[in-house]
Structures are given as structure tokens and as C-alpha cells.
Amino acid sequence: MQSKHLLADIPQKAILTQDGKVLLVMDLKGRWELPGGRLHIGEKPVEGLQRELYEELGLEVHPKYILDTFVHVSSSGMPHYRVVFVCDSVTPFADMKLDPVEVSDSRWVGADEFEDVVMDEGYKVALRKFFTQKEY
């Protein structure tokens, strides 16, 4: 059997924490997700993640490590190879400014809250991995 190569865009997402909770954002279609966006052609992955978080939230971040990767096929049939980074925010969260063109809302969720949030299962898998780590 001949296999097909994956052709996908690459959204890069961030796990940002404050007081033991993780930041979620709501996209303009009303779906909760981790903040971040798609890598541009010619962009280095860390630079793309930093650009997206600055555009969406006004935050400068320092990516620490990749926590998870997964493929999600959207309702349009487009595959997305998602990369989830754990990041530190250089900018205080009090200075966060949501870009209304990309984000309609935000919320902080803890280990005992995120399972009840309606979002893509891939994000929940990444959050389970994150919250079961010894330190965060």
C-alpha cells in the first residue's frame, strides 16, 4: 500500500500559566483553544510563535520546550500539524491586550476545569500531559 505524505499548515500554540491555571482564548467562531497561530513561510518556529502571541495578545513570550504535537483535520478537510509549546510570558498578564480581529475572549482554567470546556480533543490531550507533570 502506498502511503500519502501529510500536507498541512502548522499552527503553533502556547501553554501560558498563571497561579496554576492555563490561558485559553476564544476564536472568532466561538471555539476555545490555546493561543497562537500559523507559521509563515520562511519563519523559524520560535519566531512564528512569538509573533503570533504578540499579535493576538500583546505578550512577549519565551518558549521553554515543546510539550506535544498532533494533527487535527478541520471541518473544511484541511489538516493542521499543531505544535504545543510551554512558554513563559515576559510581559505581565495584566498588560495583555486581546486583538479583536483574532480573539473574542480569554479565560484561565485549572487542572480541574479544562475537561468541561468545549474544545478540540488534541488540546485536552496536551493539557492532560501538562497538568500531570510534576512541576509547572
Side-chain angles (χ1 to χ4, degrees), residues 10-34:
I10 307 173
Q12 300 185 107
K13 301 296 184 168
I15 290 182
L16 296 163
T17 61
Q18 176 175 252
D19 300 326
K21 295 191 174 207
V22 170
L23 179 66
L24 297 180
V25 295
M26 182 179 280
D27 70 13
L28 299 180
K29 294 181 181 178
R31 299 175 299 214
W32 288 105
E33 62 182 5
L34 295 170

Side-chain angles (χ1 to χ4, degrees), residues 11 13 35 39 41 45 51 94 101 104-106 108 116 128:
K13 301 296 184 168
L39 185 64
I41 293 172
R51 174 189 51 76
V101 174
S104 63
D105 200 1
S106 68
W108 294 92
D116 295 330
R128 285 181 203 120

Side-chain angles (χ1 to χ4, degrees), residues 56-77:
E56 284 185 7
L57 307 173
L59 298 177
E60 289 184 46
V61 301
H62 173 72
K64 294 173 19 178
Y65 60 92
I66 294 173
L67 175 74
D68 200 11
T69 63
F70 60 97
V71 174
H72 169 76
V73 179
S74 66
S75 58
S76 70

Side-chain angles (χ1 to χ4, degrees), residues 47-108:
E47 291 170 355
L49 177 68
Q50 290 171 320
R51 174 189 51 76
E52 283 288 346
L53 292 171
Y54 189 77
E55 288 174 2
E56 284 185 7
L57 307 173
L59 298 177
E60 289 184 46
V61 301
H62 173 72
K64 294 173 19 178
Y65 60 92
I66 294 173
L67 175 74
D68 200 11
T69 63
F70 60 97
V71 174
H72 169 76
V73 179
S74 66
S75 58
S76 70
M78 173 75 167
H80 307 275
Y81 179 76
R82 292 186 179 153
V83 181
V84 178
F85 288 82
V86 174
C87 300
D88 287 330
S89 183
V90 177
T91 308
F93 289 115
D95 295 338
M96 183 169 67
K97 293 179 185 76
L98 304 183
D99 178 355
V101 174
E102 297 200 43
V103 177
S104 63
D105 200 1
S106 68
R107 69 189 277 194
W108 294 92

